[in-house]
Amino acid sequence: MGDVLAALAIPALLCASGIYAACSCWWRRKHPAPPPYSQSAARLAELDLMAVTECIIRESWAELDDLYRAPVSDRRARP
């Protein structure tokens, strides 16, 4: 019985994948993809990304500010 199920599993899998491919193709024909972004939408997305990036950089600079600043008195004390 196990050999029969294994022998029938491959044709069943091929039939199921063929039916899936046919249905997927039919669905894509009936429901085409939306048009790509317009240039104005792309510019707005770019500006939004730049604002988020600037915010992240400002926050990281504020958190790590002490690491980048060397004490002024130590530099002047050495001749």
Side-chain angles (χ1 to χ4, degrees), residues 5 10 22-24 30 33 36-38 42 51 54 56-57 60 63 67-68 71 73 79:
L5 290 177
I10 294 172
C23 291
S24 176
K30 295 290 182 180
Y37 281 119
S38 64
E54 288 176 0
I56 291 172
I57 289 173
S60 63
E63 291 289 325
L67 294 175
Y68 292 116
S73 60

Side-chain angles (χ1 to χ4, degrees), residues 48-74:
D48 185 41
L49 183 65
M50 288 296 291
V52 170
T53 305
E54 288 176 0
C55 181
I56 291 172
I57 289 173
R58 282 190 195 123
E59 288 177 1
S60 63
W61 183 260
E63 291 289 325
L64 301 173
D65 191 29
D66 293 336
L67 294 175
Y68 292 116
R69 293 184 186 224
V72 178
S73 60
D74 290 344

